[in-house]
Amino acid sequence: MEQVVMNTALKESESLLSEIEHKSHVDVKKCYQCGTCAAGCPVSYVSDFTPRQVVKMLQTGLIDEVFKSHMIWLCIGCGNCVARCPRNLNIPHLHDTLRILSKEKGYPCAEKDVDIFNDSFLKTVQYTGRLYEAGLTMLYNTRSGHFMAGMDVAPGMFMLGKISPFPHLIKGRKEVANIFKKMREMKGAK
Amino acid sequence: MKIAYYPGCSLESTGKEYHFSNKLIAKKLGIELWEIPNWNCCGASPAHQSDLFLPIGLNARNLAIAEEEGLDVLAPCAACYNRMLAAVEAVNNDEDMRKKVNESIGRDYKGTNTAVNMVQFLHDMVGIDKISAQIQKKLSGLKVACYYGCLLVKPPALTKYDNPENPQSLDRIVEALGAEPIVWPYKTECCGGGLAISKTEVILKLSNDIFSMAVASGADCLVTACPMCQLNLELRQAATEKEYKVKYNMPVFEISELVGLSFGFSPKELGINKHFVKNDAFLKEKKLA
Ligand code: SF4
Ligand code: SF4
């Protein structure tokens, strides 16, 4: 991380921080940095920052760094942190919000595979109404370049009749498509 | 008793056996599972990680169909259950959100119903007494690590169910079946299911932590109430063993499968033969097959 002048960073980030707080309903000022969240987080060992550090960076205005961090993409939403936080900060929802905002603002995503996986998953839901596993695997593998991802376990799944090569098309597809449409309208309206 | 039933995508595919056993035991308990017609995917983590509105809209549609029927929803997948609760809360706390949701789904969802998970359903709504009354075969000799996983009891402000660090309800059901729920500290640790495809190495570490603790605490199998936990812990077990040079070979059951075995259903009827960790020898040894 390059050198930063603290009070300048804080001033410059004010409006962005209030947008984050408003959308996530998390008041980052409440965190007193006890580190409980970091201690129980199952993914901090593979991440660049812990959840405590993410909050500290927000408090001090280092929002660029947060938007580029791996943590916001690696958080699996297990809820350990929020269950234990003495200040009751909803960290998983904060991470969700940070991911969404960082994408909207065009930041490069630190964990591309996670992003591609999410996007491929939602594409199958948008068109069929439900998750279409085989379609997801094809989309994910071609877009991520991991052509063999899941291939170690796929044959077993087919053998046990657990995944089908065909999608399951529900009758309410139009309603589901409308939910996606509304989502895009709301994004455009901001 | 009648309840709306939301299988969710995994129960139609990778978690089929959970679906079978839920339906079988419900019938035996005299409960009507009314499957939500044309239900859609809850969006799982990809939806809530990608948009603030999308997961609420997707879940509200399913909830609305159940509400029109005057029913609460039983969601056997812990992740679906969690997403549904978040949608109920969002709609009830934000009038503007409710309007937008209803415009998108073309229905009038009022937020009067809620979702329950499988353990909550069996423990609080059906009740231990009613379950005990149907038991034909005690599961004695089975040492079970009750694995609640993360989303059944967390975040506590949302689920408001059991204790997030040391929950007891699943243990009580297992005990009622005649098995022994062991005391262990990893009941609500995460198995990492959400990163299974995009970051498999994380899963291997987390599941190794879980299995090694279960073994150290004297368990010979795990029980869950979530198709994602069950799949993840069995499907990646071989890879975990290879990575950490250990041998667990530990079956992971769904709670409805254990209930079903105690009700006298065969492993085949319950779909237990569809598991990735082969359990025929295990069930024979425990005199359950
Ligand atoms: S547990 Fe809560 S108060 Fe403590 S460091 Fe984490 S967010 Fe801050
Ligand atoms: S919810 Fe995210 S940040 Fe919190 S403990 Fe789990 S993985 Fe870590």
Side-chain angles (χ1 to χ4, degrees), chain A residues 36-38 40-44 50-52 71 74-82 84 91-93 95 99, chain B residues 150 190:
Chain A
T36 308
C37 53
C41 175
V43 297
S44 24
T50 67
R52 178 193 66 77
M71 188 45 164
L74 289 173
C75 168
I76 30 183
C78 72
N80 266 358
C81 52
V82 35
R84 294 171 186 166
I91 304 257
H93 189 57
H95 286 158
R99 236 184 250 124
Chain B
C150 42
C190 179

Side-chain angles (χ1 to χ4, degrees), chain A residues 45 74 78 80 84 96 99 111 118 129-131 133 160-162 171 175 178 182-183 187, chain B residues 9 13-14 16-17 38-41 48-49 51 61 103-104 107 150 154 165 189 205 274:
Chain A
Y45 86 102
L74 289 173
C78 72
N80 266 358
R84 294 171 186 166
D96 280 349
R99 236 184 250 124
E111 292 285 342
N118 285 353
R130 294 189 187 162
L131 170 61
E133 281 90 0
L160 291 171
K162 293 200 168 190
K171 269 208 191 100
E175 291 172 31
N178 268 338
K182 185 87 192 165
M183 168 187 86
K187 281 210 161 124
Chain B
C9 304
S13 56
T14 51
K16 272 190 172 153
E17 57 272 35
N38 288 301
W39 52 267
N40 57 271
C41 171
H48 70 78
Q49 294 187 347
D51 192 67
R61 178 177 173 273
E103 269 167 39
S104 76
R107 293 168 194 269
C150 42
K154 288 181 288 189
E165 299 291 354
E189 285 305 321
K205 179 191 178 284
K274 287 192 177 296

Side-chain angles (χ1 to χ4, degrees), chain A residues 18-63:
Chain A
S18 70
E19 185 183 353
I20 293 168
E21 292 191 317
H22 173 71
K23 291 200 167 136
S24 65
H25 305 289
V26 171
D27 178 1
V28 298
K29 289 181 295 299
K30 275 172 65 186
C31 165
Y32 50 38
Q33 292 288 301
C34 65
T36 308
C37 53
C41 175
V43 297
S44 24
Y45 86 102
V46 273
S47 184
D48 46 356
F49 300 114
T50 67
R52 178 193 66 77
Q53 286 171 312
V54 167
V55 178
K56 183 73 197 175
M57 282 148 70
L58 294 176
Q59 287 177 338
T60 47
L62 301 179
I63 298 181

